[in-house]
Amino acid sequence: MNKVLPLLLLFLYTQSWAQVNAKWEILENKFENPEFHRAKLTLSNTGSSDLDAGWKLYFNSVFISVNTQVQTEPFQIRHLQGDFFVLEGKNSSPVFKRGEEISITYQSRGPYLKNSYAPEGLIFQNADGTHFEIKEYQVEAISLDQFREMAASTPLPIPTAARIYSQNEGLSLLPKEQLPPFLPTPKSWKYTGETLKIKNAGLAVVGIPEFEEASKFLLLAIKQGYKPTVNRAEAPIQIRIVKSSELPVEGYKISIAKRLVFISASSPKGAMYGVQSFLAMMPADFSIRITDEFILPQVEIEDYPAYSYRGFFLDVARNFQPKSQILKLLDLMSIYKLNVFHFNLANDEGWRLQIPGLPELTEFGSKRGFSEDESDFLWPYYASGADPKKSQAGSGFYTVSDFQEILAYAKGFQIEVIPEFGVPAHSRAAILAMESRYSKLLKAGKTSEALQYRLAEDDDQSKYLSAQNFRGNTVCVCQESTYAFYEKLVLEVKAMYQNTGVELKNWHTGGDEVPSGVWTASPTCKDFLAKNPDIKLEDLNDYFRSRAASILKKNGLEMGGWEEIGQTHSGNSVVPNTKFADQNWRLYAWNAVAGWGGEDMAYRLANAGYPVVICSSANFYFDLAYDWDPNERGHTWSGVTDMYQAWKTVPGKLYLSHDQTIEGKEWSWASVQASFTKLSLEGKKNIIGVSGQLWTETVKSPEMLEYYLFPKMLGYIERAWVGDPAWSNAESEEEMKTKRLEEWNIFANLIGQKEIPRLEKLRGGFNHRIPKSGVMIKDGMIYANVQTPGLVIRYTQDGSEPIESSAIYSNPIPHKGGEKFRVFTPSGNAGASIILD
């Protein structure tokens, strides 16, 4: 009997687990004032028993409002924190009878834009407190045609087949010899003869001691793919890595004449970039296919970057990424000559780094799962699942040794790692973790120790809601324990760097999106302000920044933060804060939504005296969707961004970076330029570089991360190294647009012919988005094109899905109806298909 009972309990649990099914559908979608969407959620009790009154349904959604109105009695939707909501009865939900369907309609502000925006992560809680995840959940997707009809009254550029074709017009397949040798495009390059294909020749890499790391890296990389049976009759290949002091610090030269290769640089950084550029000229499959043949293009290259700061920002707090994926991304950063990895390790939704002496940060703050009161771990934000042990994206952290391995790996590639721990806002995971510590020590009678690192306070009645809809996400800046915590964090992280032999120079404080209303009803701050009459409530943000900066300076670190740490308010306007302009705080200018008026903030801050990194949300935020197709995942709050939008950014003339506003309205270069802040001579010096960002609210796996990045990120990589495109210096708008298309055609060919085949082979292959083909019907004939020439368009005319053996499109074909078009890479990977009526 003892053996049977557990089996019976398991059976009953499994029955309950599968007892409720769900279906969601959009009922109404309004894009004009008032903007809203109305939807219906249908729950079905498919089990063999009734469910008692008092059940609740928890779910996640970033894309409904916190005051969503339920139109079905007796239900309500109550916002808990962030993207976590509960559907429940106003007093108690009714008995849910077996075989019954309950349909609940609700209305939320804002239109419904993506099929991935439906509620997700459904967790059903029984009246007795037990819970299970709803696995049978159907979301009725809207098609591109339906979405086009819904948005017909707006100027949104819906990516129909004809629109995609129009966007790709002017692109054509170019001979490879007309293309740059690799990405990012070098400053100057010249082919000097026919490429040599050498078989079974010996090969030697010789480098000066200063460039030992680059020499070893090159030799190991070559050995991976080139394994000759040396023929002594063949003249050997000689690769020499030499010093040339006249080159810029990150510059390099490559000269290949017959079998002699010279890579010249003035520093280890330049030597590494020269080595990566040399390897970039090898065949795409060089590192994975053993060969006795070595390819040597005959070429002269001279190269150096436009900016000293070429960053990539990754958020692992919202959703976690394993260490192996971080190392893979560092590989790619080195290949594409990005030199700063900006690592966001903590936010409201997770704390991701082990801190000695503060175990609660990871014991509590690194885990997400379901509970009613968030007492043992964080709620399952972003639908990360009810069980923290199974939550791959929601739960996870890096141990000290993990982090040190990442630091050492980055150092080998000359990449600086800048940690970010956001304060004073975006700190809910840390606040709750320290509350867990406080409660534990208080119960043990250790009051002094309990208070030592506390970030919250008792009886704070301040009412606020953060940009991501969190309450209680901002530390108390009026108590000394907050600064004790911060200094402890700085010291422990600094020790991790020192013990790895890596210098920690820069620290990112976050500092963004401090909610309105914080500290207004804080007893601690009321007492602090009474004792410090020179400080006003509105000065507390600046007070905190000064204290944080002092801690960092004391520990030999430079302070950085999002643009807000260098801003203040003048009436209703946000302006540069001149109070701190001489402190060398590095500002990351991000809030640049096209058409909202803040597109020139980077220039205003630079002119005020701050060192500035351009992070433009409208160009370099890779978590934005590729386009307005409802099946394309990603955010749209700052518009949409594809490879072209990133590529056509002009950091030195930001007003040239758009053709449309976020809503799809015309963006006039001339009229915008007239009111756009102009960079002063000093301001130009203060633009130290650019950064591409990936926030991960909607990113649930390494594969999704790579899809969001590639090929979108490749346009940014070009800008980071090359700087302003040549076309931006033309005299007239007409000439600029003509030259822009010519330069875009070269870049698009480089991506299609060289970089995408390479991405599919590098480091085990990177997942990437393959574009849809553009298709237009004219005079009974079908015309097709692709954004990246070099990829292949295949089609069928019988309604079947195009496969790798389907016909290749090369010339217009007669339109009969039912044709399908699909883009393929040379390795046979395919994107989504386009079907014609």
Side-chain angles (χ1 to χ4, degrees):
M1 187 65 184
N2 289 337
K3 293 182 179 179
V4 174
L5 184 58
L7 291 175
L8 179 61
L9 290 174
L10 177 62
F11 174 75
L12 291 174
Y13 176 79
T14 304
Q15 286 291 94
S16 173
W17 184 79
Q19 191 170 351
V20 178
N21 296 348
K23 178 182 176 182
W24 184 94
E25 57 189 308
I26 190 79
L27 299 177
E28 192 174 2
N29 203 16
K30 299 289 288 184
F31 285 78
E32 295 179 307
N33 290 331
E35 297 179 344
F36 69 89
H37 69 273
R38 196 163 61 88
K40 180 171 70 173
L41 178 66
T42 301
L43 301 175
S44 304
N45 184 348
T46 60
S48 57
S49 60
D50 297 346
L51 294 171
D52 292 341
W55 56 267
K56 298 178 181 181
L57 182 74
Y58 294 82
F59 65 90
N60 298 86
S61 177
V62 178
F63 307 104
I64 66 171
S65 53
V66 296
N67 57 353
T68 291
Q69 301 300 306
V70 176
Q71 299 170 333
T72 304
E73 291 294 338
F75 294 100
Q76 64 180 357
I77 290 176
R78 183 163 55 92
H79 174 246
L80 298 174
Q81 287 281 2
D83 76 327
F84 200 44
F85 293 79
V86 61
L87 170 71
E88 60 188 359
K90 290 178 181 175
N91 294 311
S92 177
S93 56
V95 173
F96 194 178
K97 297 179 180 179
R98 64 175 182 151
E100 183 182 10
E101 279 192 354
I102 298 177
S103 291
I104 299 140
T105 62
Y106 68 83
Q107 182 171 309
S108 174
R109 62 175 173 80
Y112 179 72
L113 300 173
K114 299 286 181 181
N115 287 318
S116 57
Y117 287 7
E120 58 181 349
L122 277 56
I123 299 171
F124 192 94
Q125 185 183 41
N126 294 302
D128 64 2
T130 59
H131 65 271
F132 57 89
E133 296 182 42
I134 293 180
K135 298 296 185 181
E136 295 296 323
Y137 177 41
Q138 177 188 350
V139 173
E140 284 204 358
I142 56 176
S143 68
L144 181 66
D145 287 339
Q146 288 172 320
F147 187 69
R148 180 180 58 181
E149 291 175 11
M150 292 172 178
S153 61
T154 76
L156 279 183
I158 310 300
T160 61
R163 180 182 287 274
I164 295 171
Y165 183 90
S166 174
Q167 290 171 338
N168 294 339
E169 281 192 297
L171 300 178
S172 59
L173 189 66
L174 297 175
K176 278 194 174 181
E177 57 268 20
Q178 292 183 19
L179 304 180
F182 46 77
L183 174 75
T185 303
K187 287 293 184 294
S188 67
W189 51 275
K190 180 176 67 174
Y191 292 114
T192 57
E194 291 293 322
T195 296
L196 296 184
K197 295 183 178 180
I198 304 163
K199 294 193 75 168
N200 289 322
L203 184 146
V205 175
V206 179
I208 64 170
E210 186 181 350
F211 299 160
E212 182 180 4
E213 278 192 338
S215 302
K216 284 183 177 178
F217 177 77
L218 177 57
L219 187 58
L220 288 172
I222 290 172
K223 283 183 174 180
Q224 278 188 302
Y226 182 55
K227 297 191 182 296
T229 302
V230 176
N231 180 357
R232 298 196 180 279
E234 282 283 337
I237 300 165
Q238 297 183 54
I239 303 175
R240 299 178 185 174
I241 306 178
V242 300
K243 185 155 186 171
S244 179
S245 299
E246 71 272 10
L247 288 170
V249 67
E250 293 185 290
Y252 66 91
K253 284 183 180 179
I254 299 176
S255 174
I256 307 177
K258 297 192 177 176
R259 301 181 186 220
L260 183 59
V261 179
F262 276 100
I263 299 173
S264 307
S266 63
S267 73
K269 286 185 178 181
M272 182 59 75
Y273 296 146
V275 162
Q276 291 285 23
S277 293
F278 177 78
L279 290 170
M281 293 185 283
M282 298 297 104
D285 61 355
F286 177 75
S287 62
I288 61 172
R289 181 176 62 87
I290 303 303
T291 180
D292 60 2
E293 184 176 75
F294 202 84
I295 306 298
L296 273 183
Q298 305 295 288
V299 67
E300 297 281 344
I301 295 168
E302 184 167 356
D303 201 11
Y304 55 90
Y307 302 111
S308 61
Y309 189 109
R310 304 177 302 284
F312 171 60
F313 163 93
L314 178 64
D315 157 40
V316 294
R318 269 65 182 271
N319 279 312
F320 187 66
Q321 291 289 328
K323 179 182 68 176
S324 58
Q325 187 66 17
I326 304 303
L327 300 181
K328 189 178 180 184
L329 287 172
L330 289 169
D331 280 336
L332 206 80
M333 287 181 64
S334 177
I335 287 167
Y336 289 127
K337 306 180 180 71
L338 301 179
N339 64 353
V340 179
F341 180 44
H342 178 176
F343 205 6
N344 184 36
L345 291 157
N347 219 296
D348 296 320
E349 307 90 336
W351 184 282
R352 304 303 185 190
L353 181 61
Q354 179 185 29
I355 302 298
L358 298 176
E360 297 83 3
L361 286 170
T362 47
E363 289 174 357
F364 179 97
S366 75
K367 299 173 184 174
R368 296 211 297 255
F370 177 73
S371 66
E372 284 194 88
D373 58 3
E374 218 172 3
S375 58
D376 296 321
F377 37 72
L378 297 165
W379 272 326
Y381 301 113
Y382 311 121
S384 51
D387 187 347
K389 294 178 181 176
K390 297 179 180 178
S391 178
Q392 293 182 350
S395 299
F397 67 93
Y398 308 108
T399 64
V400 171
S401 61
D402 287 336
F403 189 61
Q404 289 178 321
E405 184 180 343
I406 290 168
L407 293 177
Y409 200 77
K411 181 186 179 186
F413 286 131
Q414 306 293 330
I415 294 171
E416 178 185 6
V417 179
I418 297 179
E420 177 181 345
F421 300 91
V423 282
H426 288 287
S427 297
R428 193 163 185 275
I431 291 169
L432 291 186
M434 290 300 95
E435 285 300 279
S436 174
R437 178 183 185 275
Y438 170 74
S439 298
K440 182 172 61 179
L441 291 171
L442 207 60
K443 287 178 183 177
K446 301 178 180 179
T447 304
S448 177
E449 192 177 343
L451 292 167
Q452 185 179 9
Y453 297 124
R454 197 180 184 200
L455 301 175
E457 63 173 310
D458 295 323
D459 302 322
D460 183 359
Q461 301 300 312
S462 304
K463 296 188 183 303
Y464 61 88
L465 196 65
S466 77
Q468 285 74 34
N469 294 328
F470 282 97
R471 303 170 188 86
N473 85 327
T474 307
V475 302
C476 179
V477 300
C478 302
Q479 60 190 22
E480 285 304 306
S481 56
T482 294
Y483 303 100
F485 170 87
Y486 201 63
E487 184 151 24
K488 166 74 170 173
L489 176 62
V490 169
L491 289 171
E492 294 295 346
V493 174
K494 184 178 178 182
M496 294 180 206
Y497 277 75
Q498 289 175 332
N499 292 336
T500 316
V502 177
E503 183 184 5
L504 176 60
K505 297 177 288 186
N506 293 289
W507 183 280
H508 200 289
T509 62
D512 59 316
E513 297 178 329
V514 178
S516 175
V518 294
W519 313 310
T520 53
S522 158
T524 302
C525 286
K526 183 179 180 181
D527 182 60
F528 174 83
L529 292 171
K531 293 176 180 176
N532 296 273
D534 292 340
I535 302 174
K536 308 300 181 188
L537 178 66
E538 58 270 24
D539 298 327
L540 287 178
N541 234 331
D542 283 354
Y543 169 75
F544 176 79
R545 290 162 187 164
S546 296
R547 290 289 304 271
S550 296
I551 291 170
L552 295 173
K553 187 175 182 179
K554 173 183 169 184
N555 287 282
L557 305 180
E558 294 287 346
M559 178 159 137
W562 299 106
E563 61 185 44
E564 287 93 328
I565 72 167
Q567 293 174 331
T568 189
H569 284 83
S570 176
N572 293 324
S573 299
V574 176
V575 297
N577 188 349
T578 55
K579 184 191 300 186
F580 302 117
D582 61 349
Q583 300 297 302
N584 202 39
W585 294 358
R586 181 185 289 172
L587 304 189
Y588 293 68
W590 65 275
N591 194 356
V593 183
W596 286 12
E599 305 88 350
D600 63 352
M601 180 54 72
Y603 291 0
R604 295 165 67 189
L605 293 168
N607 286 350
Y610 289 100
V612 172
V613 178
I614 294 174
C615 308
S616 172
S617 61
N619 306 85
F620 297 152
Y621 266 45
F622 305 135
D623 51 306
L624 299 179
Y626 277 93
D627 59 31
W628 290 102
D629 187 322
N631 289 315
E632 196 66 64
R633 292 182 61 90
H635 284 299
T636 58
W637 65 268
S638 190
V640 294
T641 298
D642 65 356
M643 183 173 66
Y644 179 59
Q645 176 71 3
W647 173 87
K648 70 185 178 71
T649 308
V650 186
K653 300 175 184 177
L654 282 170
Y655 58 87
L656 296 177
S657 302
H658 308 289
D659 293 315
Q660 297 171 323
T661 66
I662 181 178
E663 300 91 357
K665 297 176 182 177
E666 181 186 1
W667 174 277
S668 168
W669 289 352
S671 61
V672 174
Q673 181 187 8
S675 59
F676 213 83
T677 298
K678 294 178 177 58
L679 277 172
S680 64
L681 289 176
E682 193 63 27
K684 287 181 181 179
K685 295 177 185 176
N686 284 332
I687 301 293
I688 63 172
V690 293
S691 179
Q693 285 64 232
L694 183 62
W695 299 93
T696 57
E697 294 98 326
T698 62
V699 179
K700 309 295 181 71
S701 67
E703 293 75 22
M704 288 177 66
L705 177 144
E706 292 175 6
Y707 179 92
Y708 273 61
L709 289 178
F710 305 111
K712 186 186 304 183
M713 186 177 175
L714 302 181
Y716 160 73
I717 285 164
E718 182 79 348
R719 290 285 71 80
W721 183 266
V722 175
D724 288 358
W727 61 263
S728 65
N729 295 317
E731 293 186 1
S732 68
E733 182 172 325
E734 181 181 3
E735 187 183 0
M736 277 193 283
K737 290 186 174 178
T738 298
K739 289 189 173 182
R740 183 176 69 174
L741 180 57
E742 292 171 359
E743 292 175 30
W744 169 239
N745 190 35
I746 292 170
F747 183 81
N749 271 269
L750 176 62
I751 301 305
Q753 294 192 48
K754 293 187 177 184
E755 291 308 315
I756 286 177
R758 191 167 171 235
L759 270 177
E760 292 185 337
K761 307 296 182 185
L762 283 170
R763 308 303 189 264
F766 283 83
N767 185 36
H768 63 97
R769 179 181 183 265
I770 300 171
K772 287 183 178 179
S773 60
V775 182
M776 181 191 70
I777 303 170
K778 181 179 179 182
D779 300 329
M781 301 294 287
I782 301 175
Y783 297 78
N785 60 17
V786 65
Q787 185 188 50
T788 44
L791 303 190
V792 176
I793 303 171
R794 296 184 182 272
Y795 68 94
T796 58
Q797 295 179 286
D798 58 3
S800 63
E801 190 74 1
I803 59 176
E804 198 173 359
S805 59
S806 298
I808 295 176
Y809 173 86
S810 57
N811 291 297
I813 60 174
H815 176 43
K816 298 176 182 177
E819 291 87 356
K820 281 189 174 182
F821 291 80
R822 197 176 182 199
V823 177
F824 286 76
T825 69
S827 63
N829 292 320
S833 59
I834 289 273
I835 184 169
L836 299 182
D837 296 330

